[in-house]
Amino acid sequence: MDKLQQVISLFDKRATLYQERHMDVSRYHASFDLFCNSIPEQGAAVLEIACGPGNITRYLLQQRPDFHLLGIDLAPNMLELAHTNNPQAAFQLMDARDISRLGKTFEGIMCGFCLPYLSREGAEKLIADAAGLLTPGGVLYISTMEDEYAKSGFFHTDGNDEFYMYYHEAGYLENALKENGFELIALQREQYPAADGSNTTDLILIARR
């Protein structure tokens, strides 16, 4: 089982618990609002990558009920919860690494905390694939956990399940955005208290194609 498949299996098993813990996305409302406000088109098509139980989906559609939103994820139980929480949106079982196969374009792409489960190469490919799916002026939102890439490794849940998580660095993500024709709208950092009492840094990048 590769590292991503291990994560998918874990999220599928813990989908309900994840929903209980993470449906409140209020700490990210300001950046989500900036994403929404950066897409002026009414009825804009929006792709959400790794939508989970639809926690971000729900907030986006509360702010912009005109969005035609497609959420993708690889955990079937997450998709079931996302559909229940957002019956007005569409959902599809799909790997974030395969979005170039969608064959449609979008005015916005939301990618909330998918990158911690993609390697540097995978993250750079996702940015390139997103550029190919966005209409001119389209907006990409990426959030991840920032630290030295070399600190990536295996971690354990409170239930002692093991999974591999990647840290990412702003520098090479910004370079990938620039190389793919994006203009940075915002770069934000938020300190997030971890369960062990330490702080992690959430990195948010919003860019226009």
Side-chain angles (χ1 to χ4, degrees):
M1 182 182 295
D2 69 21
K3 295 183 181 74
L4 184 56
Q5 288 299 322
Q6 192 173 24
V7 168
I8 293 161
S9 177
L10 175 61
F11 275 120
D12 205 43
K13 182 175 77 171
R14 297 168 66 92
T16 301
L17 179 61
Y18 185 93
Q19 175 177 252
E20 291 171 356
R21 292 182 175 179
H22 298 292
M23 283 306 289
D24 180 5
V25 294
S26 56
R27 66 179 293 109
Y28 304 108
H29 281 183
S31 63
F32 294 158
D33 289 346
L34 179 55
F35 172 77
C36 290
N37 294 335
S38 298
I39 303 173
E41 297 87 353
Q42 285 294 304
V46 174
L47 172 65
E48 184 181 354
I49 300 170
C51 65
N55 48 351
I56 297 175
T57 318
R58 185 172 67 176
Y59 184 77
L60 295 181
L61 292 176
Q62 286 172 349
Q63 305 310 303
R64 290 290 300 273
D66 62 293
F67 278 170
H68 295 290
L69 194 144
L70 170 63
I72 65 167
D73 204 284
L74 267 178
N77 288 334
M78 287 288 199
L79 286 174
E80 184 176 345
L81 291 172
H83 185 265
T84 299
N85 291 323
N86 303 279
Q88 70 275 48
F91 296 96
Q92 182 176 334
L93 187 72
M94 175 172 270
D95 194 323
R97 298 171 294 184
D98 294 334
I99 59 172
S100 61
R101 300 180 184 178
L102 280 168
K104 58 180 73 174
T105 57
F106 300 88
E107 279 74 45
I109 296 178
M110 166 62 62
C111 185
F113 292 102
C114 175
L115 264 60
Y117 311 107
L118 297 176
S119 66
R120 172 175 177 171
E121 294 76 17
E124 291 170 338
K125 179 181 182 298
L126 185 143
I127 289 171
D129 289 344
L133 293 179
L134 283 167
T135 57
V139 179
L140 173 64
Y141 178 112
I142 292 173
S143 56
T144 190
M145 296 168 67
E146 185 182 28
D147 210 327
E148 296 175 17
Y149 185 71
K151 293 183 180 179
S152 305
F154 284 100
F155 294 81
H156 291 84
T157 69
D158 51 10
N160 210 34
D161 290 304
E162 186 179 62
F163 66 98
Y164 197 94
M165 188 176 71
Y166 295 94
Y167 288 108
H168 290 286
E169 300 170 25
Y172 64 72
L173 294 177
E174 286 185 86
N175 287 339
L177 289 167
K178 184 177 180 180
E179 289 170 2
N180 286 281
F182 284 98
E183 179 183 355
L184 198 64
I185 297 173
L187 187 156
Q188 302 173 3
R189 290 180 173 92
E190 298 282 347
Q191 294 301 308
Y192 186 84
D196 62 1
S198 64
N199 282 328
T200 61
T201 301
D202 292 344
L203 173 68
I204 299 167
L205 298 148
I206 305 174
R208 189 182 304 279
R209 179 76 167 91

